[in-house]
């Protein structure tokens, strides 16, 4: 059952395969005319990009299945050629910002590696752009992306055509230091420290023991470091098994632990900070005496000072030392004792996965970053032109006596004055502030979100969330606590309650539905005196999606499900049962009907309490001008009762997964920016279709993977936190742009000498350098102030009452 779900998720086969109203014969003909197309999609960087591509394609008519492979830059689409063609699909992909090319699928696809490289020395978007351009020119590189804020590059390449050393050399050739952080082969890889490795026999013994385990892909041993590196299939085996195998080898002479990680981003960052600090101190040692001496002897025509160069270097180093704080920290248990069972360790731990997700999000560019990229593309040539024009204008003005000679300082002539103005323009007009405006805010914003329990998958999700106008909520596990429990049983025939639940539980124990699990748990209470819960054997078990289950128990046919299933199976529903169903729905409960041998024998009322904060959350969203809609697969009565309790006016009930996705598309057709909040497999098509998908952290892996934002604490109020954080971050990005653009618009004319003729004020190059460093520092500090973000006070006022479920 689990394997089937995973396979279905790859293409969201629960999405509507054909247009409404298609007959079975027409459906068969359409199946026969399905076409498969494979596209090369360049520009995808993370799961958020893949989700954007998938959403855009799925909105087209006639699309049956979409599978996006970020690692290989491929997208496979299965579609009906009578509704859509390859060119329309390709154009749709390009419309959302990616380059798409139709290709023919080959049997032997290239092996693709993802290489992450830390780059030291980048100072502005021109630096990152230069590195990115050089990497793209290296033969064998399919895609390269450089993030200035994180100081890292992510390169997709063919290992058969080039090695990581060639990438490092290409970066080194343009003047930057490069360090390999990791490659594609490090995925699902663990490093163990093994004490007791003294000779070759020990190594062979451990290798032989590990090779016999299922799921092992590769083993590398570094005996001198007592290190064993193991590549493996995470779905088959894991580090705990490796440690057990190693320690059981050789009569217990080996001891295995996780190899301590060193040299991570934090270590290199700390080394970089120390380097800048030492360089700054040395620079001050020389620049301050030069500056002070020049102030005394500057009027003596015979001693020349280069205080501008020394002070300029000092200010730039000061700016670099003061930049980009850490984002993720740790938590310590200082008092008491914790007994913990580690289900995942090393790179598989939840913290490691969260860190990787945040790093991936920080690597991805927000759409608004394109604004800065477009400006930066023309900025440097423009500044060079302005610098030369400034020098030429002042030089000619001096030659033509266009200004009084008395304005020229005694230590220089008209040529030197013109040169100073030109250099000041060159120095002060740096695109650093403009380039840092978005990535620093996204970096801090995603980090703050992670600390608040809101994982945002990339800059695009962070930017888009502030535009949300309508939110579609699932019911079970989203608005409700997701732990259904039996609250009442109504028997319609004379039979023992224990016998009734034994028959029902025997059928429901084969189902994965939450309501089925609630019935089984309740049925166990009638067998508390027994050591085991072995239910009667069932035959011919069948699950009818969205309706219920049926099977043969003790030679009697048992049907457990909703009203639709009973009517479908021609089971008569007496008036007393109808009345009880209406009563349960009025209390926001779900009524489950039970028939034995085509005769209705009982009704089970199941309640899934509404989350304590749900009503307040909906009220706050309404005050934020955001419309809320409930879409659920549950019956109309229960859905309306829950909606009424939490304050939602629009309800769609008894909705299958494809109906949820269709509702999202309908709202988008009305020009709403739609967010979907859900937690189950059935919600994943709607999560993909929505502009922003939000998954409850306690939900299924499929829903979490399909979402753009994950609410790790499973608190409904974090929906508001995500939207509010997005708004706060976007305002900060806009403020950064305003500051960066205003700085250049004001500073460049001043540096060019606009105030000099009337006031005699001019900016020496070292002052221009200080101003340039201050502008970048201001933008970085403005972004770092996001760390002071606090969720809305309305949420702090919510009193969350605990619920005890017996």
């Amino acid at each position: 059952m689990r394997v089937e779900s995973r396979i279905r998720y790859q293409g969201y086969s629960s999405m509507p395969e054909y247009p409404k109203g298609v007959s079975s014969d027409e459906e068969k003909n359409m199946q026969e005319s399905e076409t498969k197309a494979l596209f090369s999609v360049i520009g995808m960087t993370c799961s958020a990009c893949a989700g954007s591509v998938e959403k855009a394609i799925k909105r087209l008519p006639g699309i049956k299945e979409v599978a996006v492979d970020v690692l290989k830059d491929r997208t496979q689409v299965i579609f009906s050629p009578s509704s859509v063609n390859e060119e329309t699909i390709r154009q749709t992909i390009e419309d959302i910002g990616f380059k798409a090319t139709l290709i023919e699928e080959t049997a032997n696809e290239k092996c693709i590696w993802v290489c992450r490289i830390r780059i030291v020395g980048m100072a502005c978007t021109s630096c990152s752009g230069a590195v990115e351009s050089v990497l793209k020119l290296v033969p064998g590189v399919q895609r390269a992306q450089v993030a200035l804020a994180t100081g890292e590059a992510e390169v997709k390449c063919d290992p058969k055509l080039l090695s990581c050393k060639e990438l490092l050399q290409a970066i080194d050739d343009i003047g930057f230091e490069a360090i390999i952080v990791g490659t594609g082969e490090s995925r699902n890889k663990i490093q163990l420290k093994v004490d007791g490795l003294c000779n070759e026999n020990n190594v062979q013994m451990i290798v032989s023991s590990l090779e016999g385990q299922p799921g092992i892909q590769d083993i590398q041993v570094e005996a001198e470091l007592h290190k064993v590196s193991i590549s493996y299939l995470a779905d088959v085996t894991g580090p705990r098994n490796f440690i057990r195998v190693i320690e059981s080898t050789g009569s217990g002479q080996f001891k295995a632990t996780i190899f301590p990680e060193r040299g991570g981003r934090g270590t290199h960052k700390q080394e970089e900070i120390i380097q800048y600090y030492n360089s700054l101190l040395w620079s001050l040692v020389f620049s301050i005496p030069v500056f002070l001496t020049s102030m005394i002897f500057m009027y003596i025509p015979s001693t020349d000072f280069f205080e501008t160069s020394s002070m300029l270097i000092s200010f730039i180093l000061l700016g670099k030392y003061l930049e980009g704080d850490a984002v993720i920290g740790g938590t310590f248990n200082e008092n008491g004792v914790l007994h913990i069972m580690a289900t995942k360790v090393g790179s598989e731990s939840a913290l490691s996965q969260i860190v990787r997700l945040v790093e991936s999000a920080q690597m991805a560019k927000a759409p608004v970053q394109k604004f800065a990229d477009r400006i930066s593309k023309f900025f440097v040539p423009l500044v060079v032109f302005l610098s030369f024009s400034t020098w030429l204008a002042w030089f000619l003005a001096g030659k033509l006596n266009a200004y009084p000679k008395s304005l020229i300082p005694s230590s220089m002539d008209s040529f030197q004055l013109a040169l100073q103005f030109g250099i000041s323009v060159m120095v002060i007009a740096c695109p650093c502030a403009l380039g840092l405006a978005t990535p620093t805010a996204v970096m801090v914003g995603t980090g703050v979100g992670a600390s608040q329990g809101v994982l945002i998958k990339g800059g695009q999700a962070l930017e888009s969330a502030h535009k949300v106008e309508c939110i579609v909520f699932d019911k079970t596990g989203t608005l409700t606590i997701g732990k259904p429990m039996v609250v009442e049983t109504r028997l319609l025939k004379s039979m023992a309650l224990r016998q009734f639940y034994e028959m029902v539980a025997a059928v429901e124990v084969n189902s994965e539905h939450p309501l089925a699990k609630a019935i089984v748990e309740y049925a166990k209470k009638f067998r508390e005196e027994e050591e085991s819960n072995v239910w009667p054997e069932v035959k011919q078990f069948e699950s009818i999606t969205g309706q219920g289950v049926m099977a043969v128990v003790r030679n009697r046919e048992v049907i457990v499900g909703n009203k639709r299933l009973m009517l479908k199976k021609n089971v008569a529903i007496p008036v007393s049962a109808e009345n009880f169903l209406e009563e349960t729905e009025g209390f926001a409960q779900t009524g489950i009907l039970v028939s034995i041998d085509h005769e209705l024998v009982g009704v089970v009322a199941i309640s899934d309490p509404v989350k304590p904060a749900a009503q307040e959350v909906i009220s706050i969203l309404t005050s934020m001008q955001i419309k809320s809609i409930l879409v659920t697969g549950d019956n109309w009565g229960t859905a309306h009762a829950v909606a009424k309790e939490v304050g939602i006016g629009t309800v769609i009930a008894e909705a299958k997964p494809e109906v949820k996705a269709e509702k999202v598309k309908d709202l988008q057709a009305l020009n709403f920016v739609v967010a979907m909040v859900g937690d189950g497999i059935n919600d994943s098509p709607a999560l993909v279709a929505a502009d922003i998908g939000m998954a409850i952290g306690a939900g299924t892996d499929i829903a979490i993977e399909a979402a753009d934002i994950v609410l790790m604490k499973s608190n409904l109020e974090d929906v508001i936190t995500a939207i509010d954080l997005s708004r706060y971050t976007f305002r900060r990005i806009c403020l950064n742009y305003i500051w960066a653009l205003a700085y250049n618009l004001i500073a460049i004319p001043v540096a060019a000498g606009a105030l000099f003729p009337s006031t005699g004020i001019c900016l020496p190059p070292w002052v221009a350098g200080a101003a340039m460093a201050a502008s970048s520092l201001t933008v970085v500090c403005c972004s770092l102030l996001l760390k002071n973000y606090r969720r809305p006070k309305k949420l702090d006022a919510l009193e969350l009452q605990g619920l005890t479920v017996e």
Side-chain angles (χ1 to χ4, degrees):
M1 189 70 179
R2 185 174 301 171
V3 173
E4 181 184 354
S5 297
R6 289 180 178 172
I7 293 174
R8 281 178 170 270
Y9 167 67
Q10 293 177 3
Y12 296 111
S13 59
S14 56
M15 292 285 287
E17 297 182 358
Y18 309 102
K20 290 183 178 180
V22 177
S23 66
S24 59
D25 292 338
E26 291 173 327
E27 179 178 311
K28 182 177 180 181
N29 292 332
M30 292 181 70
Q31 287 179 341
E32 293 173 353
S33 63
E34 287 173 0
T35 300
K36 181 192 295 184
L38 186 66
F39 297 87
S40 170
V41 182
I42 305 300
M44 297 187 297
T45 60
C46 62
S47 59
C49 297
S52 299
V53 173
E54 194 162 4
K55 289 177 185 178
I57 297 174
K58 281 184 176 292
R59 289 169 185 163
L60 295 173
I63 300 296
K64 179 185 177 184
E65 185 174 337
V66 180
V68 181
D69 190 335
V70 180
L71 187 63
K72 296 180 180 178
D73 288 324
R74 301 284 181 89
T75 297
Q76 180 176 282
V77 184
I78 299 177
F79 61 96
S80 172
S82 61
S83 302
V84 70
N85 56 36
E86 291 92 341
E87 179 57 27
T88 302
I89 298 172
R90 189 195 66 78
Q91 189 61 49
T92 299
I93 298 173
E94 296 208 337
D95 287 344
I96 60 173
F98 302 99
K99 181 173 178 58
T101 307
L102 179 65
I103 60 176
E104 293 185 3
E105 189 173 13
T106 58
N108 299 318
E109 295 182 344
K110 292 182 178 179
C111 176
I112 303 299
W113 273 14
V114 177
C115 185
R116 292 182 60 202
I117 305 172
R118 181 175 295 107
I119 302 173
V120 180
M122 294 191 299
C124 63
T125 51
S126 296
C127 299
S128 60
V131 175
E132 191 169 295
S133 299
V134 167
L135 288 173
K136 288 179 178 178
L137 294 175
V138 177
V141 171
Q142 292 196 353
R143 183 191 59 78
Q145 182 176 12
V146 180
L148 175 63
T150 59
E152 288 189 359
E154 187 175 86
V155 184
K156 289 184 179 179
C157 57
D158 186 346
K160 297 178 182 178
L161 299 180
L162 82 163
S163 65
C164 292
K165 290 183 179 180
E166 293 177 78
L167 296 175
L168 298 182
Q169 186 61 47
I171 297 172
D172 184 68
D173 289 343
I174 59 172
F176 298 97
E177 181 184 353
I179 304 167
I180 291 291
V181 176
T183 62
E185 64 179 358
S186 65
R187 301 182 70 188
N188 294 331
K189 186 174 183 179
I190 190 74
Q191 295 179 335
L192 300 178
K193 181 180 180 182
V194 182
D195 296 328
L197 286 178
C198 1
N199 52 50
E200 187 64 26
N201 290 334
N202 295 149
V203 173
Q204 290 298 329
M205 191 183 304
I206 289 179
V207 170
S208 298
S209 299
L210 289 172
E211 284 179 340
Q213 300 299 309
I216 299 291
Q217 294 181 308
D218 183 51
I219 303 172
Q220 296 179 355
V221 181
E222 299 177 60
E224 65 278 5
L225 297 178
H226 298 275
K227 181 165 70 173
V228 178
S229 300
I230 307 171
S231 297
Y232 61 96
L233 298 175
D235 291 338
V236 179
T237 186
R240 188 183 300 278
N241 291 336
F242 308 150
I243 293 174
R244 177 181 55 78
V245 170
I246 292 172
E247 293 185 346
S248 63
T249 302
S251 303
Q253 69 186 82
F254 303 114
K255 179 68 176 178
T257 56
I258 302 297
F259 198 88
E261 296 182 1
R262 296 186 179 89
R265 175 186 291 183
T267 303
H268 288 282
K269 194 66 178 177
Q270 191 63 30
E271 292 174 356
E272 187 178 358
I273 292 172
I274 294 173
Q275 181 182 351
Y276 276 124
Y277 178 74
N278 292 333
S279 299
L280 175 61
L281 290 182
W282 279 109
S283 178
L284 291 175
V285 167
F286 292 101
S287 61
I288 291 178
V290 170
F291 175 73
L292 295 177
T293 306
S294 68
M295 296 295 290
I296 299 173
F297 295 100
M298 64 183 296
Y299 300 104
I300 301 177
S302 59
T303 311
D304 289 328
F305 291 92
F306 297 92
E307 78 282 358
T308 294
S309 301
S310 60
M311 293 301 294
L312 183 60
I313 292 172
S314 296
F315 277 115
I316 291 175
L317 288 173
L318 176 63
K320 297 300 294 182
Y321 170 68
L322 293 176
E323 288 179 3
D325 210 347
V327 176
I328 297 294
T331 301
F332 294 91
N333 175 47
E334 295 184 351
N335 300 307
V337 178
L338 290 178
H339 295 279
I340 300 173
M341 176 180 290
T343 57
K344 292 185 178 181
V345 296
S347 62
E348 287 192 325
S349 66
L351 178 59
S352 295
Q353 292 173 5
I354 291 172
V355 171
R356 283 199 299 272
L357 179 60
V358 173
E359 288 178 347
S360 176
Q362 292 168 351
M363 180 70 72
K365 294 182 180 180
V368 72
Q369 176 67 26
K370 295 178 182 179
F371 171 72
D373 291 343
R374 284 194 295 268
I375 294 179
S376 299
K377 183 178 180 180
F378 303 100
F379 189 86
V380 174
L382 178 62
V383 168
V384 173
F385 173 77
L386 289 176
S387 178
F388 177 78
S389 299
T390 299
W391 168 80
L392 183 62
W394 280 105
F395 176 73
L396 294 176
K399 289 295 183 181
L400 298 175
N401 298 318
Y403 59 87
K405 297 294 183 181
S406 59
L407 291 178
I408 303 176
S410 58
S411 60
M412 61 178 66
D413 56 23
S414 60
F415 175 82
Q416 291 172 324
L417 179 65
L419 184 63
Q420 175 177 286
F421 283 133
I423 293 174
S424 295
V425 170
M426 179 74 74
V427 171
I428 205 168
C430 179
C432 290
L434 196 63
L436 291 170
T438 297
T440 53
V442 170
M443 185 175 184
V444 179
T446 51
V448 169
S451 67
Q452 298 271 349
V454 179
L455 294 187
I456 304 171
K457 298 181 181 179
Q460 182 172 356
L462 182 63
E463 180 182 336
S464 300
H466 84 279
K467 304 175 184 177
V468 170
E469 303 167 294
C470 178
I471 299 183
V472 177
F473 287 95
D474 174 48
K475 183 181 75 70
T476 305
T478 302
L479 289 177
T480 63
I481 64 173
K483 294 182 179 179
M485 53 185 178
V486 176
V487 292
E488 189 175 353
T489 307
R490 181 73 57 87
L491 292 180
L492 305 177
K493 299 294 179 181
S494 178
M495 64 183 304
L497 196 59
R498 175 186 172 118
Q499 181 186 1
F500 171 81
Y501 271 106
E502 230 177 47
M503 300 284 283
V504 175
V507 178
E508 291 284 39
V509 77
N510 297 283
S511 173
E512 293 294 326
H513 198 281
L515 298 182
K517 293 181 179 179
I519 291 176
V520 172
E521 285 299 315
Y522 186 79
K524 289 179 181 178
K525 295 183 177 182
F526 297 96
R527 315 180 85 186
E528 290 179 349
E529 70 281 359
E530 300 181 12
E531 295 182 1
S532 63
N533 286 311
V534 179
W535 305 104
E537 182 182 359
V538 300
K539 299 177 181 179
Q540 303 175 22
F541 175 82
E542 182 181 357
S543 177
I544 299 93
T545 304
Q547 298 182 23
V549 294
M550 56 188 298
V552 176
V553 183
R554 293 173 178 167
N555 296 322
R556 304 183 71 182
E557 185 183 57
V558 180
I559 303 176
V560 184
N562 57 21
K563 187 176 179 180
R564 278 186 296 165
L565 180 59
M566 296 301 165
L567 296 177
K568 181 179 179 180
K569 297 299 180 180
N570 296 319
V571 177
I573 303 176
V575 177
S576 58
E578 292 275 13
N579 294 336
F580 184 64
L581 285 176
E582 292 181 6
E583 183 181 334
T584 59
E585 291 173 358
F587 290 109
Q589 299 170 357
T590 301
I592 303 297
L593 301 173
V594 180
S595 78
I596 299 179
D597 292 334
H598 288 271
E599 185 178 14
L600 200 68
V601 297
V603 184
V604 178
I606 299 178
S607 174
D608 185 9
V610 171
K611 289 183 177 178
Q615 184 177 358
E616 290 84 353
V617 168
I618 300 301
S619 175
I620 294 173
L621 287 173
T622 302
S623 68
M624 296 169 66
Q625 307 301 314
I626 297 176
K627 182 179 181 180
S628 298
I629 296 176
L630 174 61
V631 180
T632 178
D634 212 335
N635 63 72
W636 282 97
T638 303
H640 278 284
V642 170
K644 182 178 180 181
E645 184 175 349
V646 301
I648 294 179
T650 306
V651 182
I652 298 176
E654 300 181 6
K656 294 182 179 180
E658 58 268 26
V659 175
K660 294 183 179 181
E662 286 176 2
K663 181 57 183 177
V664 169
K665 294 180 181 180
D666 290 342
L667 290 168
Q668 291 170 332
L670 296 174
N671 295 321
F672 281 106
V673 178
V674 183
M676 169 69 192
V677 185
D679 72 319
I681 296 175
N682 292 341
D683 299 321
S684 56
L687 289 170
V688 171
D691 296 288
I692 293 292
M694 299 187 188
I696 301 296
T700 63
D701 291 341
I702 292 178
I704 291 174
E705 183 64 26
D708 302 297
I709 297 176
V710 182
L711 311 179
M712 292 297 295
K713 295 185 291 187
S714 301
N715 291 341
L716 200 59
E717 57 267 31
D718 283 342
V719 172
I720 298 173
T721 302
I723 296 174
D724 186 69
L725 176 60
S726 172
R727 293 180 176 180
Y728 195 81
T729 303
F730 191 75
R731 287 197 297 267
R732 191 53 53 95
I733 291 174
C734 293
L735 183 62
N736 285 347
Y737 277 133
I738 291 173
W739 167 254
L741 291 173
Y743 161 80
N744 281 294
L745 290 175
I746 295 172
I748 291 178
V750 173
L755 301 178
F756 184 70
S758 58
T759 64
I761 296 176
C762 63
L763 292 181
W766 68 268
V767 176
M772 181 270 291
S775 69
S776 299
L777 185 62
T778 301
V779 168
V780 172
C781 289
C782 188
S783 295
L784 288 175
L785 288 176
L786 277 169
K787 295 186 69 175
N788 297 326
Y789 169 81
R790 296 292 180 270
R791 66 180 191 167
K793 293 182 179 180
K794 294 179 180 179
L795 298 183
D796 295 331
L798 294 180
E799 295 291 337
L800 302 182
Q801 301 295 334
L803 293 177
T804 302
V805 181
E806 296 183 357

